[in-house]
Amino acid sequence: MKLDAATIAALAQHLETCELEARDTPKITDEYPHMDWDDAYAIQNEIRRRKLERGHRIIGLKAGLTSHAKMKQMGVTTPVFGFMADNFAVPEGGECRVSELIHPKVEPEIAFVTKRALKGPGCHIGAVLAATDFVLPGIEVIDSRYRDFKFDLKSVVADNTSASRFVVGGRAVSAGELDLRTTGIVLEKNGEPVAFGAGAAVLGHPAAAIAMLANHLGARGEEIPAGTLILSGGITEAVAVKAGDSVTLKVQGMGSVGLRFV
Ligand code: OOG
Ligand code: MG
């Protein structure tokens, strides 16, 4: 760790205030270029603690930057992990208020729900599939607090990996029912297909993103509890949205899920 506790608390307060007030900020590594990975996750944990203290619940976890399309779009090379609070959830077919956000983008994802705890190190896709209750389509709405979505990995980790809103729905299927590598997806905006892909875009198999998360937590003495919802990461580049847009994700064998931006 390179930052002291007071600096970590101040940066967490700054980033969370930007989230809650829909204001952007330059990336924090401009001012703290020497901060390390542990500092970045410590700032994210402090944001989580602030939300819990105000009575929020943590209702899911996420992996991000798990596909080459996303890594290329953002100019980074390593997946990152974050959390979702209760107020991030949009009901299936529901509305997402753009006035609460800075510059939202949508991502097509496969969501996993665990039925058993997953613990690293050594977690692999076999263990993930065995511990998965079901998978279902999910759209993540990301909203980096950083100006023009310009960040590096440590800044984005501190900013809870741009987590903002999400919707899951469609048909929940057991993970063994489909080959998630060849499961096709189509993301539509206002009825037009805007992005296509298949599950293998995410680390060869979306379950690999869940295994990576379990190994990341395992290195910190933590685990993914049973009954956890996890977003495995955008399969394609993220697509910008504005008020009036309607977005639908169709996933082969899993139906569709959507939301509207107002
Ligand atoms: C970081 C979050 C990326 C994903 O699914 O790749 C992410 C960002 O691109 O702002 O959630
Ligand atoms: Mg995502």
Side-chain angles (χ1 to χ4, degrees):
M1 303 268 295
K2 300 282 190 319
L3 304 181
D4 59 29
T7 306
I8 285 169
L11 288 170
Q13 178 178 19
H14 172 62
L15 289 171
E16 204 209 5
T17 303
C18 287
E19 176 204 328
L20 298 176
E21 297 181 356
R23 281 196 283 116
D24 68 6
T25 176
K27 65 182 193 305
I28 59 174
T29 45
D30 291 350
E31 205 173 332
Y32 298 95
H34 303 304
M35 63 180 273
D36 64 19
W37 282 99
D38 289 335
D39 293 320
Y41 278 104
I43 295 166
Q44 185 192 117
N45 279 341
E46 174 62 15
I47 293 174
R48 179 201 287 239
R49 192 199 62 75
R50 292 171 62 88
K51 291 185 185 305
L52 290 170
E53 189 179 67
R54 289 201 308 279
H56 284 295
R57 292 180 57 229
I58 304 307
I59 58 164
L61 301 176
K62 61 168 280 190
L65 306 175
T66 50
S67 65
H68 288 291
K70 279 291 308 181
M71 290 193 228
K72 189 160 163 259
Q73 183 179 31
M74 307 322 299
V76 299
T77 51
T78 318
V80 292
F81 307 103
F83 68 84
M84 288 161 322
D86 50 6
N87 60 315
F88 294 8
V90 176
E92 183 167 5
E95 294 181 348
C96 178
R97 276 190 294 281
V98 170
S99 61
E100 296 173 0
L101 307 176
I102 304 162
H103 43 199
K105 295 183 187 181
V106 290
E107 300 180 318
E109 307 206 12
I110 306 285
F112 286 66
V113 175
T114 56
K115 61 184 172 194
R116 283 200 298 277
L118 274 168
K119 201 170 171 62
C123 187
H124 48 75
I125 65 172
V128 173
L129 294 176
T132 297
D133 198 352
F134 53 85
V135 291
L136 76 176
I139 299 171
E140 184 178 36
V141 182
I142 52 168
D143 193 36
S144 175
R145 268 54 70 168
Y146 298 120
R147 198 149 300 156
D148 303 322
F149 262 91
K150 293 238 161 48
F151 51 68
D152 49 30
L153 281 170
K154 288 163 193 165
S155 295
V156 73
V157 164
D159 184 32
N160 190 21
T161 67
S162 312
S164 161
R165 300 286 183 271
F166 72 95
V167 58
V168 291
R171 192 164 83 88
V173 302
S174 79
E177 200 178 306
L178 296 171
D179 181 351
L180 289 175
R181 297 170 304 174
T182 52
T183 296
I185 67 103
V186 180
L187 185 71
E188 294 180 354
K189 185 164 93 171
N190 305 323
E192 300 282 341
V194 289
F196 318 88
V202 170
L203 298 172
H205 193 303
I210 313 304
M212 253 188 116
L213 170 61
N215 291 329
H216 164 83
L217 292 175
R220 290 164 166 73
E222 296 167 30
E223 61 180 25
I224 303 175
T228 303
L229 172 76
I230 310 146
L231 294 177
S232 56
I235 293 169
T236 69
E237 281 193 6
V239 175
V241 288
K242 57 182 185 337
D245 285 341
S246 154
V247 174
T248 304
L249 172 63
K250 294 178 173 155
V251 182
Q252 190 176 18
M254 289 189 233
S256 61
V257 63
L259 80 172
R260 283 175 300 126
F261 291 86
V262 297

